[in-house]
Amino acid sequence: MYTELSTVASQEKLNDHTYLLKVKAQKIAKSVKPGQFCNIKVSETNYPLLRRPFSVCYTEDEFIYFMYDIHGVGTKMLSEKKTGDRLNILGPLGNGFNTEGDYDTAVLVGGGIGAAPFPLLTKKLEGKELITFMGARNSGQVIKWGMKNIVVATDDGSAGFHGNVIECFQSEVQNLENKKIRIFGCGPNPMLKALQKVSMNKYDCQLSMESAMACGFGICQGCPIKKSAGEGYYLVCKDGPVFNSDQIIIG
């Protein structure tokens, strides 16, 4: 884990709501794994007080990329950063996706900004057979940056499959019945809960959970998620954010 005073290299808008931020952060870029995240101080002042967590989207030499939507004051301030601005970044944090092991095909299932960790994961999975299911509300919100072999689902049917991404996955998964697959999921909790249900006792599945993670390493105890076995809770920031789907109960 490092604290780096990084420099903004570029910022672009990918679609109606999604931004891609590129920053120079050499130490983090060399050590981060797919599914890990960083906590970013979006202002040089004490407002907003807390850092904001962002999945690392991609790495390229000494640069790291973050993909995000505007959801509040912190992400609005981040979207206004210009080339040359400085950002204080803490990372890499948490446990990422496990790409090792015995499986034929990697299946990525994402909804909305849940696409954020997939470009780096796609890079890590180079050489594996891979299929990516991406869901969005409409065609203007579809994210494809940095991903491969994409099957799109939109709630309104304006692009690709008409329906949610889990329905899309279920309609296509029979084409993979003769292969040993591993699922990697990231998106809003209702999507992940549905993916957990269809995967239970059937597919090897890992889920990247969303949560407010103020400290990023377990001190504040502010991001609990209930264990599926026994009593007690995991902390999303320290024990996750990636969990095997059978480890957790999604509320």
Side-chain angles (χ1 to χ4, degrees), residues 2 22 28-30 38 44 47 63 71 86 96 114 120 129 139 144 165 174 203-204 224 235:
Y2 304 96
K22 178 182 179 181
I28 297 173
K30 287 185 175 180
C38 292
E44 294 182 359
Y47 178 78
F63 296 97
H71 286 295
R86 308 300 294 274
L120 186 57
E129 182 179 12
S139 60
K144 295 184 177 181
V165 72
Q174 67 268 13
Y203 304 116
D204 179 0
L235 294 176

mmCIF file with all atom_site columns, all heavy atoms in Angstrom, residues 2 22 28-30 38 44 47 63 71 86 96 114 120 129 139 144 165 174 203-204 224 235:
data_model
loop_
_atom_site.group_PDB
_atom_site.id
_atom_site.type_symbol
_atom_site.label_atom_id
_atom_site.label_alt_id
_atom_site.label_comp_id
_atom_site.label_asym_id
_atom_site.label_entity_id
_atom_site.label_seq_id
_atom_site.pdbx_PDB_ins_code
_atom_site.Cartn_x
_atom_site.Cartn_y
_atom_site.Cartn_z
_atom_site.occupancy
_atom_site.B_iso_or_equiv
_atom_site.pdbx_formal_charge
_atom_site.auth_seq_id
_atom_site.auth_comp_id
_atom_site.auth_asym_id
_atom_site.auth_atom_id
_atom_site.pdbx_PDB_model_num
ATOM 1   N N   . TYR A 1 2   ? 0.563   2.172   -0.883  1.00 0.00 ? 2   TYR A N   1
ATOM 2   C CA  . TYR A 1 2   ? 1.339   3.398   -1.021  1.00 0.00 ? 2   TYR A CA  1
ATOM 3   C C   . TYR A 1 2   ? 0.413   4.611   -0.965  1.00 0.00 ? 2   TYR A C   1
ATOM 4   O O   . TYR A 1 2   ? -0.769  4.529   -1.310  1.00 0.00 ? 2   TYR A O   1
ATOM 5   C CB  . TYR A 1 2   ? 2.080   3.429   -2.361  1.00 0.00 ? 2   TYR A CB  1
ATOM 6   C CG  . TYR A 1 2   ? 2.981   2.247   -2.600  1.00 0.00 ? 2   TYR A CG  1
ATOM 7   C CD1 . TYR A 1 2   ? 2.537   1.159   -3.346  1.00 0.00 ? 2   TYR A CD1 1
ATOM 8   C CD2 . TYR A 1 2   ? 4.281   2.213   -2.089  1.00 0.00 ? 2   TYR A CD2 1
ATOM 9   C CE1 . TYR A 1 2   ? 3.361   0.065   -3.579  1.00 0.00 ? 2   TYR A CE1 1
ATOM 10  C CE2 . TYR A 1 2   ? 5.109   1.137   -2.313  1.00 0.00 ? 2   TYR A CE2 1
ATOM 11  C CZ  . TYR A 1 2   ? 4.647   0.060   -3.056  1.00 0.00 ? 2   TYR A CZ  1
ATOM 12  O OH  . TYR A 1 2   ? 5.469   -1.012  -3.277  1.00 0.00 ? 2   TYR A OH  1
ATOM 13  N N   . LYS A 1 22  ? -7.046  9.336   -16.107 1.00 0.00 ? 22  LYS A N   1
ATOM 14  C CA  . LYS A 1 22  ? -5.714  8.734   -16.188 1.00 0.00 ? 22  LYS A CA  1
ATOM 15  C C   . LYS A 1 22  ? -4.757  9.561   -15.346 1.00 0.00 ? 22  LYS A C   1
ATOM 16  O O   . LYS A 1 22  ? -4.670  10.775  -15.502 1.00 0.00 ? 22  LYS A O   1
ATOM 17  C CB  . LYS A 1 22  ? -5.243  8.704   -17.647 1.00 0.00 ? 22  LYS A CB  1
ATOM 18  C CG  . LYS A 1 22  ? -3.846  8.135   -17.859 1.00 0.00 ? 22  LYS A CG  1
ATOM 19  C CD  . LYS A 1 22  ? -3.471  8.203   -19.339 1.00 0.00 ? 22  LYS A CD  1
ATOM 20  C CE  . LYS A 1 22  ? -2.069  7.670   -19.604 1.00 0.00 ? 22  LYS A CE  1
ATOM 21  N NZ  . LYS A 1 22  ? -1.704  7.755   -21.046 1.00 0.00 ? 22  LYS A NZ  1
ATOM 22  N N   . ILE A 1 28  ? 1.798   2.472   -7.456  1.00 0.00 ? 28  ILE A N   1
ATOM 23  C CA  . ILE A 1 28  ? 0.522   1.758   -7.471  1.00 0.00 ? 28  ILE A CA  1
ATOM 24  C C   . ILE A 1 28  ? 0.364   0.994   -8.781  1.00 0.00 ? 28  ILE A C   1
ATOM 25  O O   . ILE A 1 28  ? -0.076  -0.161  -8.791  1.00 0.00 ? 28  ILE A O   1
ATOM 26  C CB  . ILE A 1 28  ? -0.642  2.739   -7.253  1.00 0.00 ? 28  ILE A CB  1
ATOM 27  C CG1 . ILE A 1 28  ? -0.537  3.383   -5.868  1.00 0.00 ? 28  ILE A CG1 1
ATOM 28  C CG2 . ILE A 1 28  ? -1.986  2.018   -7.399  1.00 0.00 ? 28  ILE A CG2 1
ATOM 29  C CD1 . ILE A 1 28  ? -1.548  4.481   -5.619  1.00 0.00 ? 28  ILE A CD1 1
ATOM 30  N N   . ALA A 1 29  ? 0.742   1.620   -9.887  1.00 0.00 ? 29  ALA A N   1
ATOM 31  C CA  . ALA A 1 29  ? 0.601   0.982   -11.202 1.00 0.00 ? 29  ALA A CA  1
ATOM 32  C C   . ALA A 1 29  ? 1.374   -0.324  -11.280 1.00 0.00 ? 29  ALA A C   1
ATOM 33  O O   . ALA A 1 29  ? 0.933   -1.283  -11.926 1.00 0.00 ? 29  ALA A O   1
ATOM 34  C CB  . ALA A 1 29  ? 1.064   1.928   -12.297 1.00 0.00 ? 29  ALA A CB  1
ATOM 35  N N   . LYS A 1 30  ? 2.505   -0.385  -10.632 1.00 0.00 ? 30  LYS A N   1
ATOM 36  C CA  . LYS A 1 30  ? 3.344   -1.585  -10.699 1.00 0.00 ? 30  LYS A CA  1
ATOM 37  C C   . LYS A 1 30  ? 2.860   -2.707  -9.794  1.00 0.00 ? 30  LYS A C   1
ATOM 38  O O   . LYS A 1 30  ? 3.225   -3.863  -9.989  1.00 0.00 ? 30  LYS A O   1
ATOM 39  C CB  . LYS A 1 30  ? 4.786   -1.226  -10.338 1.00 0.00 ? 30  LYS A CB  1
ATOM 40  C CG  . LYS A 1 30  ? 5.515   -0.448  -11.422 1.00 0.00 ? 30  LYS A CG  1
ATOM 41  C CD  . LYS A 1 30  ? 6.970   -0.229  -11.046 1.00 0.00 ? 30  LYS A CD  1
ATOM 42  C CE  . LYS A 1 30  ? 7.743   0.451   -12.176 1.00 0.00 ? 30  LYS A CE  1
ATOM 43  N NZ  . LYS A 1 30  ? 9.168   0.674   -11.837 1.00 0.00 ? 30  LYS A NZ  1
ATOM 44  N N   . CYS A 1 38  ? -8.433  1.969   -5.026  1.00 0.00 ? 38  CYS A N   1
ATOM 45  C CA  . CYS A 1 38  ? -7.677  3.039   -4.387  1.00 0.00 ? 38  CYS A CA  1
ATOM 46  C C   . CYS A 1 38  ? -8.656  4.003   -3.727  1.00 0.00 ? 38  CYS A C   1
ATOM 47  O O   . CYS A 1 38  ? -9.796  4.145   -4.171  1.00 0.00 ? 38  CYS A O   1
ATOM 48  C CB  . CYS A 1 38  ? -6.843  3.814   -5.406  1.00 0.00 ? 38  CYS A CB  1
ATOM 49  S SG  . CYS A 1 38  ? -5.480  2.887   -6.141  1.00 0.00 ? 38  CYS A SG  1
ATOM 50  N N   . GLU A 1 44  ? -7.767  19.355  -2.262  1.00 0.00 ? 44  GLU A N   1
ATOM 51  C CA  . GLU A 1 44  ? -6.619  19.695  -1.427  1.00 0.00 ? 44  GLU A CA  1
ATOM 52  C C   . GLU A 1 44  ? -7.053  20.297  -0.102  1.00 0.00 ? 44  GLU A C   1
ATOM 53  O O   . GLU A 1 44  ? -6.234  20.542  0.776   1.00 0.00 ? 44  GLU A O   1
ATOM 54  C CB  . GLU A 1 44  ? -5.690  20.656  -2.182  1.00 0.00 ? 44  GLU A CB  1
ATOM 55  C CG  . GLU A 1 44  ? -5.035  20.024  -3.402  1.00 0.00 ? 44  GLU A CG  1
ATOM 56  C CD  . GLU A 1 44  ? -4.092  20.967  -4.114  1.00 0.00 ? 44  GLU A CD  1
ATOM 57  O OE1 . GLU A 1 44  ? -3.963  22.135  -3.664  1.00 0.00 ? 44  GLU A OE1 1
ATOM 58  O OE2 . GLU A 1 44  ? -3.491  20.553  -5.118  1.00 0.00 ? 44  GLU A OE2 1
ATOM 59  N N   . TYR A 1 47  ? -12.629 19.488  2.482   1.00 0.00 ? 47  TYR A N   1
ATOM 60  C CA  . TYR A 1 47  ? -13.983 19.247  1.979   1.00 0.00 ? 47  TYR A CA  1
ATOM 61  C C   . TYR A 1 47  ? -13.908 18.700  0.566   1.00 0.00 ? 47  TYR A C   1
ATOM 62  O O   . TYR A 1 47  ? -13.280 19.306  -0.301  1.00 0.00 ? 47  TYR A O   1
ATOM 63  C CB  . TYR A 1 47  ? -14.815 20.528  1.979   1.00 0.00 ? 47  TYR A CB  1
ATOM 64  C CG  . TYR A 1 47  ? -16.212 20.304  1.426   1.00 0.00 ? 47  TYR A CG  1
ATOM 65  C CD1 . TYR A 1 47  ? -17.198 19.714  2.213   1.00 0.00 ? 47  TYR A CD1 1
ATOM 66  C CD2 . TYR A 1 47  ? -16.521 20.654  0.113   1.00 0.00 ? 47  TYR A CD2 1
ATOM 67  C CE1 . TYR A 1 47  ? -18.462 19.479  1.693   1.00 0.00 ? 47  TYR A CE1 1
ATOM 68  C CE2 . TYR A 1 47  ? -17.785 20.427  -0.407  1.00 0.00 ? 47  TYR A CE2 1
ATOM 69  C CZ  . TYR A 1 47  ? -18.751 19.846  0.383   1.00 0.00 ? 47  TYR A CZ  1
ATOM 70  O OH  . TYR A 1 47  ? -19.996 19.622  -0.123  1.00 0.00 ? 47  TYR A OH  1
ATOM 71  N N   . PHE A 1 63  ? 1.132   4.612   -15.373 1.00 0.00 ? 63  PHE A N   1
ATOM 72  C CA  . PHE A 1 63  ? -0.169  5.269   -15.267 1.00 0.00 ? 63  PHE A CA  1
ATOM 73  C C   . PHE A 1 63  ? -1.247  4.288   -14.813 1.00 0.00 ? 63  PHE A C   1
ATOM 74  O O   . PHE A 1 63  ? -1.213  3.104   -15.139 1.00 0.00 ? 63  PHE A O   1
ATOM 75  C CB  . PHE A 1 63  ? -0.574  5.858   -16.620 1.00 0.00 ? 63  PHE A CB  1
ATOM 76  C CG  . PHE A 1 63  ? 0.340   6.941   -17.110 1.00 0.00 ? 63  PHE A CG  1
ATOM 77  C CD1 . PHE A 1 63  ? 1.350   6.644   -18.008 1.00 0.00 ? 63  PHE A CD1 1
ATOM 78  C CD2 . PHE A 1 63  ? 0.209   8.244   -16.653 1.00 0.00 ? 63  PHE A CD2 1
ATOM 79  C CE1 . PHE A 1 63  ? 2.209   7.636   -18.471 1.00 0.00 ? 63  PHE A CE1 1
ATOM 80  C CE2 . PHE A 1 63  ? 1.060   9.245   -17.100 1.00 0.00 ? 63  PHE A CE2 1
ATOM 81  C CZ  . PHE A 1 63  ? 2.066   8.943   -18.007 1.00 0.00 ? 63  PHE A CZ  1
ATOM 82  N N   . HIS A 1 71  ? -21.896 10.765  -8.877  1.00 0.00 ? 71  HIS A N   1
ATOM 83  C CA  . HIS A 1 71  ? -22.962 10.398  -7.949  1.00 0.00 ? 71  HIS A CA  1
ATOM 84  C C   . HIS A 1 71  ? -23.126 11.394  -6.807  1.00 0.00 ? 71  HIS A C   1
ATOM 85  O O   . HIS A 1 71  ? -24.087 11.297  -6.044  1.00 0.00 ? 71  HIS A O   1
ATOM 86  C CB  . HIS A 1 71  ? -22.696 9.007   -7.356  1.00 0.00 ? 71  HIS A CB  1
ATOM 87  C CG  . HIS A 1 71  ? -22.939 7.887   -8.314  1.00 0.00 ? 71  HIS A CG  1
ATOM 88  N ND1 . HIS A 1 71  ? -24.176 7.596   -8.828  1.00 0.00 ? 71  HIS A ND1 1
ATOM 89  C CD2 . HIS A 1 71  ? -22.088 6.985   -8.865  1.00 0.00 ? 71  HIS A CD2 1
ATOM 90  C CE1 . HIS A 1 71  ? -24.094 6.567   -9.645  1.00 0.00 ? 71  HIS A CE1 1
ATOM 91  N NE2 . HIS A 1 71  ? -22.838 6.179   -9.698  1.00 0.00 ? 71  HIS A NE2 1
ATOM 92  N N   . ARG A 1 86  ? -3.145  17.773  -9.245  1.00 0.00 ? 86  ARG A N   1
ATOM 93  C CA  . ARG A 1 86  ? -2.587  16.753  -8.371  1.00 0.00 ? 86  ARG A CA  1
ATOM 94  C C   . ARG A 1 86  ? -3.689  16.081  -7.563  1.00 0.00 ? 86  ARG A C   1
ATOM 95  O O   . ARG A 1 86  ? -4.662  16.708  -7.164  1.00 0.00 ? 86  ARG A O   1
ATOM 96  C CB  . ARG A 1 86  ? -1.553  17.369  -7.400  1.00 0.00 ? 86  ARG A CB  1
ATOM 97  C CG  . ARG A 1 86  ? -0.468  18.194  -8.070  1.00 0.00 ? 86  ARG A CG  1
ATOM 98  C CD  . ARG A 1 86  ? 0.365   17.410  -9.069  1.00 0.00 ? 86  ARG A CD  1
ATOM 99  N NE  . ARG A 1 86  ? 1.168   16.361  -8.458  1.00 0.00 ? 86  ARG A NE  1
ATOM 100 C CZ  . ARG A 1 86  ? 2.378   16.571  -7.947  1.00 0.00 ? 86  ARG A CZ  1
ATOM 101 N NH1 . ARG A 1 86  ? 2.918   17.783  -7.920  1.00 0.00 ? 86  ARG A NH1 1
ATOM 102 N NH2 . ARG A 1 86  ? 3.062   15.560  -7.434  1.00 0.00 ? 86  ARG A NH2 1
ATOM 103 N N   . GLY A 1 96  ? -8.261  -8.602  -4.743  1.00 0.00 ? 96  GLY A N   1
ATOM 104 C CA  . GLY A 1 96  ? -8.832  -8.585  -6.070  1.00 0.00 ? 96  GLY A CA  1
ATOM 105 C C   . GLY A 1 96  ? -9.334  -9.945  -6.524  1.00 0.00 ? 96  GLY A C   1
ATOM 106 O O   . GLY A 1 96  ? -9.513  -10.877 -5.738  1.00 0.00 ? 96  GLY A O   1
ATOM 107 N N   . GLY A 1 114 ? -20.202 -0.932  -12.844 1.00 0.00 ? 114 GLY A N   1
ATOM 108 C CA  . GLY A 1 114 ? -19.555 -2.190  -12.472 1.00 0.00 ? 114 GLY A CA  1
ATOM 109 C C   . GLY A 1 114 ? -18.550 -2.653  -13.509 1.00 0.00 ? 114 GLY A C   1
ATOM 110 O O   . GLY A 1 114 ? -17.770 -3.575  -13.262 1.00 0.00 ? 114 GLY A O   1
ATOM 111 N N   . LEU A 1 120 ? -8.728  -4.009  -16.682 1.00 0.00 ? 120 LEU A N   1
ATOM 112 C CA  . LEU A 1 120 ? -7.509  -4.582  -16.121 1.00 0.00 ? 120 LEU A CA  1
ATOM 113 C C   . LEU A 1 120 ? -7.643  -6.098  -15.976 1.00 0.00 ? 120 LEU A C   1
ATOM 114 O O   . LEU A 1 120 ? -6.684  -6.839  -16.212 1.00 0.00 ? 120 LEU A O   1
ATOM 115 C CB  . LEU A 1 120 ? -7.187  -3.946  -14.763 1.00 0.00 ? 120 LEU A CB  1
ATOM 116 C CG  . LEU A 1 120 ? -5.854  -4.364  -14.127 1.00 0.00 ? 120 LEU A CG  1
ATOM 117 C CD1 . LEU A 1 120 ? -4.680  -4.070  -15.042 1.00 0.00 ? 120 LEU A CD1 1
ATOM 118 C CD2 . LEU A 1 120 ? -5.660  -3.683  -12.769 1.00 0.00 ? 120 LEU A CD2 1
ATOM 119 N N   . GLU A 1 129 ? -10.030 -17.964 -23.088 1.00 0.00 ? 129 GLU A N   1
ATOM 120 C CA  . GLU A 1 129 ? -11.295 -17.687 -23.759 1.00 0.00 ? 129 GLU A CA  1
ATOM 121 C C   . GLU A 1 129 ? -12.132 -16.813 -22.840 1.00 0.00 ? 129 GLU A C   1
ATOM 122 O O   . GLU A 1 129 ? -12.231 -17.074 -21.634 1.00 0.00 ? 129 GLU A O   1
ATOM 123 C CB  . GLU A 1 129 ? -12.039 -18.985 -24.064 1.00 0.00 ? 129 GLU A CB  1
ATOM 124 C CG  . GLU A 1 129 ? -13.333 -18.765 -24.814 1.00 0.00 ? 129 GLU A CG  1
ATOM 125 C CD  . GLU A 1 129 ? -14.065 -20.055 -25.132 1.00 0.00 ? 129 GLU A CD  1
ATOM 126 O OE1 . GLU A 1 129 ? -13.685 -21.111 -24.585 1.00 0.00 ? 129 GLU A OE1 1
ATOM 127 O OE2 . GLU A 1 129 ? -15.021 -20.001 -25.910 1.00 0.00 ? 129 GLU A OE2 1
ATOM 128 N N   . SER A 1 139 ? -28.865 2.598   -24.472 1.00 0.00 ? 139 SER A N   1
ATOM 129 C CA  . SER A 1 139 ? -27.684 2.578   -25.332 1.00 0.00 ? 139 SER A CA  1
ATOM 130 C C   . SER A 1 139 ? -26.692 3.685   -24.992 1.00 0.00 ? 139 SER A C   1
ATOM 131 O O   . SER A 1 139 ? -25.489 3.517   -25.180 1.00 0.00 ? 139 SER A O   1
ATOM 132 C CB  . SER A 1 139 ? -28.111 2.702   -26.798 1.00 0.00 ? 139 SER A CB  1
ATOM 133 O OG  . SER A 1 139 ? -28.816 3.906   -27.025 1.00 0.00 ? 139 SER A OG  1
ATOM 134 N N   . LYS A 1 144 ? -18.026 0.022   -23.002 1.00 0.00 ? 144 LYS A N   1
ATOM 135 C CA  . LYS A 1 144 ? -17.281 -1.026  -23.701 1.00 0.00 ? 144 LYS A CA  1
ATOM 136 C C   . LYS A 1 144 ? -15.766 -0.841  -23.597 1.00 0.00 ? 144 LYS A C   1
ATOM 137 O O   . LYS A 1 144 ? -15.021 -1.728  -24.005 1.00 0.00 ? 144 LYS A O   1
ATOM 138 C CB  . LYS A 1 144 ? -17.670 -1.049  -25.185 1.00 0.00 ? 144 LYS A CB  1
ATOM 139 C CG  . LYS A 1 144 ? -19.113 -1.437  -25.460 1.00 0.00 ? 144 LYS A CG  1
ATOM 140 C CD  . LYS A 1 144 ? -19.375 -1.519  -26.963 1.00 0.00 ? 144 LYS A CD  1
ATOM 141 C CE  . LYS A 1 144 ? -20.783 -1.975  -27.267 1.00 0.00 ? 144 LYS A CE  1
ATOM 142 N NZ  . LYS A 1 144 ? -21.014 -2.064  -28.739 1.00 0.00 ? 144 LYS A NZ  1
ATOM 143 N N   . VAL A 1 165 ? -28.948 -7.694  -17.528 1.00 0.00 ? 165 VAL A N   1
ATOM 144 C CA  . VAL A 1 165 ? -27.753 -8.452  -17.910 1.00 0.00 ? 165 VAL A CA  1
ATOM 145 C C   . VAL A 1 165 ? -27.784 -9.891  -17.394 1.00 0.00 ? 165 VAL A C   1
ATOM 146 O O   . VAL A 1 165 ? -27.199 -10.788 -18.019 1.00 0.00 ? 165 VAL A O   1
ATOM 147 C CB  . VAL A 1 165 ? -26.482 -7.712  -17.443 1.00 0.00 ? 165 VAL A CB  1
ATOM 148 C CG1 . VAL A 1 165 ? -26.330 -7.788  -15.914 1.00 0.00 ? 165 VAL A CG1 1
ATOM 149 C CG2 . VAL A 1 165 ? -25.244 -8.247  -18.134 1.00 0.00 ? 165 VAL A CG2 1
ATOM 150 N N   . GLN A 1 174 ? -26.107 -21.458 -22.033 1.00 0.00 ? 174 GLN A N   1
ATOM 151 C CA  . GLN A 1 174 ? -26.193 -22.822 -22.547 1.00 0.00 ? 174 GLN A CA  1
ATOM 152 C C   . GLN A 1 174 ? -25.158 -23.086 -23.633 1.00 0.00 ? 174 GLN A C   1
ATOM 153 O O   . GLN A 1 174 ? -24.773 -24.239 -23.885 1.00 0.00 ? 174 GLN A O   1
ATOM 154 C CB  . GLN A 1 174 ? -27.601 -23.128 -23.082 1.00 0.00 ? 174 GLN A CB  1
ATOM 155 C CG  . GLN A 1 174 ? -28.003 -22.361 -24.326 1.00 0.00 ? 174 GLN A CG  1
ATOM 156 C CD  . GLN A 1 174 ? -28.722 -21.064 -23.984 1.00 0.00 ? 174 GLN A CD  1
ATOM 157 O OE1 . GLN A 1 174 ? -28.709 -20.631 -22.830 1.00 0.00 ? 174 GLN A OE1 1
ATOM 158 N NE2 . GLN A 1 174 ? -29.360 -20.474 -24.977 1.00 0.00 ? 174 GLN A NE2 1
ATOM 159 N N   . TYR A 1 203 ? -21.871 -22.745 -10.735 1.00 0.00 ? 203 TYR A N   1
ATOM 160 C CA  . TYR A 1 203 ? -20.708 -22.133 -11.364 1.00 0.00 ? 203 TYR A CA  1
ATOM 161 C C   . TYR A 1 203 ? -19.744 -21.591 -10.314 1.00 0.00 ? 203 TYR A C   1
ATOM 162 O O   . TYR A 1 203 ? -20.160 -21.137 -9.241  1.00 0.00 ? 203 TYR A O   1
ATOM 163 C CB  . TYR A 1 203 ? -21.125 -20.973 -12.279 1.00 0.00 ? 203 TYR A CB  1
ATOM 164 C CG  . TYR A 1 203 ? -22.121 -21.328 -13.340 1.00 0.00 ? 203 TYR A CG  1
ATOM 165 C CD1 . TYR A 1 203 ? -23.390 -20.760 -13.335 1.00 0.00 ? 203 TYR A CD1 1
ATOM 166 C CD2 . TYR A 1 203 ? -21.806 -22.239 -14.351 1.00 0.00 ? 203 TYR A CD2 1
ATOM 167 C CE1 . TYR A 1 203 ? -24.324 -21.076 -14.312 1.00 0.00 ? 203 TYR A CE1 1
ATOM 168 C CE2 . TYR A 1 203 ? -22.731 -22.566 -15.328 1.00 0.00 ? 203 TYR A CE2 1
ATOM 169 C CZ  . TYR A 1 203 ? -23.992 -21.980 -15.303 1.00 0.00 ? 203 TYR A CZ  1
ATOM 170 O OH  . TYR A 1 203 ? -24.907 -22.305 -16.266 1.00 0.00 ? 203 TYR A OH  1
ATOM 171 N N   . ASP A 1 204 ? -18.463 -21.621 -10.644 1.00 0.00 ? 204 ASP A N   1
ATOM 172 C CA  . ASP A 1 204 ? -17.427 -20.938 -9.872  1.00 0.00 ? 204 ASP A CA  1
ATOM 173 C C   . ASP A 1 204 ? -17.606 -19.443 -10.116 1.00 0.00 ? 204 ASP A C   1
ATOM 174 O O   . ASP A 1 204 ? -17.522 -18.983 -11.256 1.00 0.00 ? 204 ASP A O   1
ATOM 175 C CB  . ASP A 1 204 ? -16.066 -21.426 -10.363 1.00 0.00 ? 204 ASP A CB  1
ATOM 176 C CG  . ASP A 1 204 ? -14.900 -20.769 -9.651  1.00 0.00 ? 204 ASP A CG  1
ATOM 177 O OD1 . ASP A 1 204 ? -15.125 -19.920 -8.771  1.00 0.00 ? 204 ASP A OD1 1
ATOM 178 O OD2 . ASP A 1 204 ? -13.746 -21.089 -9.995  1.00 0.00 ? 204 ASP A OD2 1
ATOM 179 N N   . PRO A 1 224 ? -19.397 -3.474  6.585   1.00 0.00 ? 224 PRO A N   1
ATOM 180 C CA  . PRO A 1 224 ? -19.613 -4.899  6.882   1.00 0.00 ? 224 PRO A CA  1
ATOM 181 C C   . PRO A 1 224 ? -20.487 -5.581  5.844   1.00 0.00 ? 224 PRO A C   1
ATOM 182 O O   . PRO A 1 224 ? -21.385 -4.971  5.258   1.00 0.00 ? 224 PRO A O   1
ATOM 183 C CB  . PRO A 1 224 ? -20.312 -4.861  8.245   1.00 0.00 ? 224 PRO A CB  1
ATOM 184 C CG  . PRO A 1 224 ? -21.068 -3.571  8.228   1.00 0.00 ? 224 PRO A CG  1
ATOM 185 C CD  . PRO A 1 224 ? -20.212 -2.601  7.461   1.00 0.00 ? 224 PRO A CD  1
ATOM 186 N N   . LEU A 1 235 ? -15.361 -7.452  6.313   1.00 0.00 ? 235 LEU A N   1
ATOM 187 C CA  . LEU A 1 235 ? -15.268 -6.056  5.922   1.00 0.00 ? 235 LEU A CA  1
ATOM 188 C C   . LEU A 1 235 ? -14.966 -6.010  4.435   1.00 0.00 ? 235 LEU A C   1
ATOM 189 O O   . LEU A 1 235 ? -14.006 -6.633  3.976   1.00 0.00 ? 235 LEU A O   1
ATOM 190 C CB  . LEU A 1 235 ? -14.186 -5.333  6.722   1.00 0.00 ? 235 LEU A CB  1
ATOM 191 C CG  . LEU A 1 235 ? -14.437 -5.191  8.223   1.00 0.00 ? 235 LEU A CG  1
ATOM 192 C CD1 . LEU A 1 235 ? -13.233 -4.552  8.907   1.00 0.00 ? 235 LEU A CD1 1
ATOM 193 C CD2 . LEU A 1 235 ? -15.700 -4.357  8.475   1.00 0.00 ? 235 LEU A CD2 1
#
